[in-house]
Amino acid sequence: MSETVAARKSWLGDVLEHPLRWLLIWALLLVLLRLWSSPALELDEAEQMLWSQQLLWGYGAQPPLYTWLQWGVSALLGPGLLALSVLKMGLLASTYAFIWRVAREALPPRMAWWAAASMVWLPVMGWESLRDLTHTVLVCCMVAATWWLVLRQLTQPSRMGYAWLGLVLALGFLSKYSFALFAVALGLALLSGRDTRAMLFGRGWWWLPLTAAGLLLPHLLWLLEHWQLASRGTLKKLHLQPDASLWHGLSSLLVNGLLANLLLWMLLALLVFGRAWWRSAAVSPARSEQALPWLKPLLWRYLACVACLLLGMVIVGNVTQFKERWVHPLLIMVPLLAFLVRPSLELHPRGPWFTRTVLIGFLLFGSIFAARPWLNTKMYRLDEINEPIASLAHQLQRAGYDGRSPIVASDGVLGGMLRSRFPQAPVTVCRPSALTDAPACMLAARQAPWAAQPGSPSVLLVARHVEPDADWWRAIGTSISVQDVHTLQLPYLHAPATQLRYQYLWQQNLDRVD
């Protein structure tokens, strides 16, 4: 028994002292679980499969960095679920690693691990990022990397440090436009502190704006040209309503922004440590002086700036709707600040329980992530992850599809899934919700690079949930005979009694579709 206890303590000690190797193992395990759980894609995954077909300076309402990275990983591993999973899980592991590096400079090993790993109990970090997020995952990684570089520049200032900061700030803005809110809050926090203000104006400071501006200029030019396209979706999500009551915005900020992000973490920490959060206790002499005494005030000022900016969005900007994932990147430093405020928790007798709670979080969310397609059937909530995309791909191949000819799909999720199954095929989406644009969409498909090949290429048209059937097909091509369209009824994954209807037409000559 004593040998078992000793082995368990040794394993936990290795996790606390060397978390990076375990983060790598955790990320690889999540990749395998994602590949095993379902071949279908969620909305954001399918979107990336479509966008990463080509490199552009902008992609609709989202900045381009995630898609550029996805393009690169897909070029290395091939377009598909593996490339999607490797990129996302790698970014998640990197976020934990950067926060741990920051925490390790100011806290002992166990508390530094708590500050980073306990982020798993922030719902967006622990669950939503596994389920179906892309740009939010990337911007969290950039926020964490920025904090780490700021810490390095404050402790070991150098000209190259400013260049690295400019690089990461530019990458953050190219990850998600809301990164600008974080950058402003952090800049104000640094500027308002006597111990940190000098960092902004040290020798070689000009490398920061020069590097950031040089990297951002091409996308900013694209953004000016496509401002309506890039801003329309974001402004709509914020629900700007000048006539709405102030209460709507404040309540959404409190409930959806703060409580939805922090309440679960705070309850679990309170459950373990109890009154130690507000009662002072003895601290070991070795830890009576924090390594970075200015870090705690900096974090307090940063959170104060975040609060003022968010309140300003409500009071001045008339924002009435906040979502959990929008505010989450601004709050990932809260666990670190909590442990900086209470260094005595290092000696708390329930410390091992908090370590176990964090590990349980990783196991719990990872297990739900792997079992989600099966759990959906038990809760009668079938969604994209349960779609029979593997069966559909098999049926299309049986019908004669060669796996390389262009595909025209009726919606983005279907199109992304088909590209993950047929990575050599270019995919175009012609949505049935805008029938008047369908002929123009087909014209764009005909003018795509693959249409310049000698001869008349074939094309596969696939639709799902199209009602009435004939309207979409006629809008896609006036010469299509609806009687030639084939229908498939395929059972959902893990729900054989429930079927999903697809329609397809394997058109041997694209010139007939006009």
Side-chain angles (χ1 to χ4, degrees):
M1 180 66 70
S2 60
E3 293 181 358
T4 304
V5 173
R8 186 184 301 119
K9 289 183 177 180
S10 175
W11 177 80
L12 287 175
D14 188 63
V15 172
L16 299 177
E17 289 283 353
H18 308 286
L20 298 183
R21 71 177 69 164
W22 292 99
L23 280 174
L24 178 60
I25 294 173
W26 170 75
L28 292 175
L29 180 60
L30 287 178
V31 170
L32 295 176
L33 290 176
R34 180 64 184 93
L35 295 175
W36 171 79
S37 63
S38 171
L41 305 183
E42 287 282 7
L43 174 62
D44 287 354
E45 293 174 327
E47 182 181 72
Q48 289 305 314
M49 274 291 94
L50 291 174
W51 287 357
S52 60
Q53 292 182 99
Q54 55 186 330
L55 289 175
L56 299 174
W57 287 116
Y59 299 87
Q62 297 290 359
L65 181 58
Y66 197 101
T67 305
W68 292 348
L69 294 175
Q70 192 63 72
W71 180 89
V73 177
S74 297
L76 181 64
L77 302 178
L81 190 54
L82 176 61
L84 289 167
S85 303
V86 166
L87 176 57
K88 179 192 282 190
M89 305 314 170
L91 290 172
L92 280 173
S94 298
T95 303
Y96 285 107
F98 281 126
I99 298 298
W100 174 77
R101 291 294 299 270
V102 173
R104 190 63 188 88
E105 295 294 327
L107 293 171
R110 183 167 68 163
M111 294 189 75
W113 187 87
W114 288 347
S118 66
M119 290 193 304
V120 73
W121 286 107
L122 302 179
V124 172
M125 191 73 181
W127 170 242
E128 291 296 330
S129 294
L130 294 181
R131 187 186 66 84
D132 186 32
L133 292 178
T134 50
H135 297 89
T136 299
V137 174
L138 179 57
V139 78
C140 286
C141 184
M142 293 299 105
V143 166
T146 302
W147 275 109
W148 179 58
L149 288 173
V150 165
L151 184 72
R152 285 176 58 88
Q153 193 63 7
L154 284 166
T155 55
Q156 304 173 22
S158 67
R159 294 182 180 181
M160 282 305 300
Y162 286 113
W164 281 109
L165 261 176
L167 170 66
V168 172
L169 288 174
L171 294 181
F173 186 81
L174 292 173
S175 303
K176 202 172 181 66
Y177 296 129
S178 59
F179 182 85
L181 194 67
F182 160 77
V184 170
L186 179 57
L188 291 174
L190 290 168
L191 189 62
S192 58
R194 181 180 302 176
D195 295 334
T196 57
R197 188 183 305 127
M199 189 274 283
L200 295 176
F201 306 103
R203 180 177 296 180
W205 67 269
W206 49 269
W207 276 107
L208 193 158
L210 182 65
T211 305
L215 292 173
L216 287 176
L217 183 60
H219 177 68
L220 291 177
L221 294 175
W222 177 93
L223 190 61
L224 289 175
E225 187 177 351
H226 301 83
W227 174 251
Q228 290 187 344
L229 175 64
S231 62
R232 184 170 58 242
T234 301
L235 295 177
K236 183 178 179 181
K237 292 176 182 178
L238 290 173
H239 290 216
L240 303 181
Q241 300 179 18
D243 298 330
S245 67
L246 186 62
W247 168 249
H248 283 89
L250 293 176
S251 60
S252 180
L253 175 59
L254 176 63
V255 176
N256 300 329
L258 300 181
L259 293 181
N261 276 294
L262 299 176
L263 184 60
L264 182 58
W265 184 93
M266 290 190 300
L267 289 176
L268 286 170
L270 182 62
L271 181 65
V272 174
F273 293 115
R275 292 177 294 177
W277 283 113
W278 58 84
R279 289 179 60 184
S280 59
V283 183
S284 63
R287 297 297 176 185
S288 59
E289 297 266 344
Q290 290 185 352
L292 304 176
W294 44 261
L295 181 57
K296 182 170 63 174
L298 174 62
L299 288 170
W300 277 122
R301 295 196 304 271
Y302 162 76
L303 290 179
C305 292
V306 167
C308 291
L309 291 173
L310 293 177
L311 287 173
M313 292 175 63
V314 175
I315 299 171
V316 180
N318 299 312
V319 175
T320 60
Q321 180 67 45
F322 289 87
K323 290 191 176 181
E324 185 181 2
R325 65 177 184 272
W326 298 346
V327 183
H328 168 75
L330 302 172
L331 302 177
I332 60 175
M333 300 300 288
V334 169
L336 171 57
L337 176 59
F339 289 111
L340 284 173
V341 170
R342 280 290 176 261
S344 59
L345 293 177
E346 178 193 4
L347 305 177
H348 198 283
R350 294 183 183 174
W353 282 100
F354 192 77
T355 301
R356 297 186 186 100
T357 301
V358 172
L359 293 176
I360 288 172
F362 281 98
L363 293 174
L364 174 64
F365 293 125
S367 300
I368 297 175
F369 173 66
R372 187 160 56 98
W374 178 81
L375 292 174
N376 284 348
T377 64
K378 299 303 178 182
M379 296 185 295
Y380 303 100
R381 295 179 57 183
L382 297 174
D383 58 15
E384 291 91 347
I385 204 70
N386 292 93
E387 288 210 22
I389 189 62
S391 299
L392 174 62
H394 177 69
Q395 292 294 332
L396 293 174
Q397 288 178 310
R398 288 188 58 186
Y401 178 59
D402 57 14
R404 299 184 303 275
S405 294
I407 297 174
V408 176
S410 64
D411 64 87
V413 174
L414 176 60
M417 288 187 187
L418 288 173
R419 184 171 185 252
S420 72
R421 305 303 298 184
F422 303 113
Q424 295 181 335
V427 179
T428 302
V429 175
C430 296
R431 302 181 187 278
S433 59
L435 298 180
T436 56
D437 295 332
C441 184
M442 280 304 303
L443 179 61
R446 186 185 287 111
Q447 294 174 346
W450 45 262
Q453 298 174 0
S456 298
S458 304
V459 62
L460 174 68
L461 300 103
V462 188
R464 64 170 185 173
H465 301 304
V466 179
E467 296 288 352
D469 301 348
D471 287 351
W472 186 74
W473 291 100
R474 289 183 181 130
I476 286 294
T478 56
S479 64
I480 290 179
S481 173
V482 179
Q483 287 73 22
D484 294 335
V485 175
H486 303 279
T487 299
L488 292 173
Q489 297 282 353
L490 300 176
Y492 278 97
L493 187 65
H494 301 303
T498 307
Q499 295 187 328
L500 181 62
R501 184 169 62 92
Y502 297 96
Q503 293 177 302
Y504 73 93
L505 178 61
W506 171 225
Q507 190 69 278
Q508 297 295 320
N509 191 332
L510 183 60
D511 293 335
R512 291 176 53 194
V513 184
D514 53 24

